Amino acid sequence: MDIRYSCNQRDFKRYTTEETRNEFLITGLYKADQVVAVYSHVDRMVTFGCMPVKETVSLDKGIDVWHNFGTHFILERREIGIFNIGGSGKVTVDGTVYELNYKDCLYITMGAKEVLFSSNDAEKPAKFYMVSAPAHCSYETRLIKIEDAAKKPLGAMETANKRVINQFIHPSVLKTCQLSMGMTCLEPGSVWNTMPSHTHERRMEIYTYFEIPENNVVFHMMGEGNETRHIVMQNEEAVISPSWSIHSGAGTSNYTFIWAMGGENQEFDDMDVIPTTELR
């Protein structure tokens, strides 16, 4: 497991491009029949990737659970959200099978002991993108299909940010301890996300960008609003965003991204907006 220790905004100002990427960028999440995990000390959020091809893969494959989590199984004191961004597949939770098609989501509550991943077609394997947060009580494990997500259209073509926010693991859809996750889909011709830029002192976020067309990239903006930096991101990469950082992006094409939040609360209006003309 890759462990990332948190960086403060003062030291971040001195980071080189390579140091910035090493600290915040997550790559190589989807390796055949493996589980890739990145543990961030920012709110102790963990990002996982799993691409089962020929095997049924357990969430804890290759992970020293006691050493990394201090528990007997990964979700003993954690909850997790899972999106499928590949071919159709299955997630089996303590014997119950959930079918996940493209862009479907599964929330698994604290206490699930065995989580298994498999693909329906080895030629078109599932790609399970996951984020886990610490939890203090159990709620209900639930499958949310893309058509059942709460949809919130925003933006306009004139400002190149026409998009639909799909809320999956969200207070308006189901109850969780602290984890919130959703998917934002930009329309063709739109490239900007999360504008105006903002921070939220009581929550952090993790983004993963996908559906980036070949030979295109997303410039993910981060840092304090008065001294921003960027990370150039490729398809199916993720990025850690601490509470002090903005988290906006502009692509050379339209794209889709999954956002995951954890922290003090789930109040989506609890943010400090930075007027676009004041960004530096």
Side-chain angles (χ1 to χ4, degrees):
M1 177 180 287
D2 182 6
I3 299 178
R4 309 282 181 92
Y5 293 91
S6 54
C7 163
N8 67 67
Q9 61 270 50
R10 295 178 299 279
D11 291 344
F12 175 65
K13 294 177 181 181
R14 300 192 294 269
Y15 274 31
T16 65
T17 297
E18 182 179 6
E19 288 171 328
T20 299
R21 293 173 68 85
N22 289 340
E23 180 76 25
F24 301 102
L25 182 63
I26 300 173
T27 64
L29 279 168
Y30 308 104
K31 299 178 180 178
D33 297 318
Q34 295 184 39
V35 173
V36 177
V38 177
Y39 188 115
S40 171
H41 276 269
V42 182
D43 286 298
R44 300 194 177 275
M45 301 283 276
V46 184
T47 303
F48 296 89
C50 180
M51 185 176 69
V53 179
K54 297 180 180 180
E55 301 177 10
T56 296
V57 182
S58 174
L59 177 62
D60 60 6
K61 182 178 180 180
I63 297 173
D64 185 338
V65 176
W66 181 257
H67 175 75
N68 287 289
F69 296 99
T71 55
H72 297 92
F73 50 94
I74 291 177
L75 299 183
E76 185 174 342
R77 295 295 304 274
R78 286 184 162 270
E79 56 188 353
I80 193 169
I82 303 170
F83 278 85
N84 184 7
I85 62 170
S88 62
K90 298 180 178 67
V91 181
T92 304
V93 183
D94 290 339
T96 301
V97 179
Y98 298 90
E99 291 274 356
L100 272 72
N101 295 318
Y102 188 57
K103 293 185 177 180
D104 289 343
C105 172
L106 177 66
Y107 168 75
I108 304 177
T109 191
M110 182 187 81
K113 292 183 178 180
E114 184 182 61
V115 180
L116 304 174
F117 305 100
S118 60
S119 294
N120 293 341
D121 184 351
E123 298 298 318
K124 299 178 181 179
K127 293 180 179 179
F128 295 109
Y129 171 76
M130 301 167 266
V131 176
S132 173
H136 59 273
C137 63
S138 296
Y139 290 104
E140 178 187 2
T141 294
R142 182 174 163 189
L143 175 66
I144 307 110
K145 311 292 282 187
I146 177 62
E147 56 267 24
D148 297 326
K151 296 180 174 12
K152 186 177 181 181
L154 289 175
M157 292 298 297
E158 292 77 9
T159 48
N161 66 351
K162 187 176 182 181
R163 62 203 188 277
V164 176
I165 298 177
N166 297 274
Q167 297 169 335
F168 288 82
I169 302 174
H170 185 275
S172 67
V173 179
L174 80 167
K175 191 168 182 59
T176 67
C177 286
Q178 65 162 311
L179 184 65
S180 298
M181 295 183 74
M183 178 189 301
T184 300
C185 304
L186 276 71
E187 298 282 342
S190 289
V191 296
W192 283 100
N193 78 69
T194 321
M195 296 293 284
S197 295
H198 60 266
T199 60
H200 23 72
E201 186 63 30
R202 287 149 291 277
R203 295 193 307 275
M204 64 87 73
E205 288 202 54
I206 299 171
Y207 277 13
T208 189
Y209 292 94
F210 68 109
E211 292 190 326
I212 302 175
E214 188 176 2
N215 299 321
N216 284 268
V217 297
V218 171
F219 287 75
H220 178 83
M221 312 299 175
M222 64 174 303
E224 293 181 288
N226 61 359
E227 195 166 342
T228 63
R229 303 288 189 271
H230 70 264
I231 296 179
V232 180
M233 300 193 59
Q234 311 249 355
N235 193 40
E236 297 180 353
E237 294 181 338
V239 61
I240 300 166
S241 180
S243 61
W244 48 262
S245 177
I246 67 168
H247 35 281
S248 299
T252 56
S253 172
N254 64 310
Y255 51 88
T256 301
F257 67 97
I258 296 169
W259 42 268
M261 289 193 289
E264 193 73 21
N265 63 39
Q266 294 177 313
E267 299 298 325
F268 283 75
D269 293 331
D270 180 10
M271 63 180 70
D272 298 312
V273 173
I274 303 168
T276 303
T277 55
E278 293 182 12
L279 292 171
R280 298 291 185 268

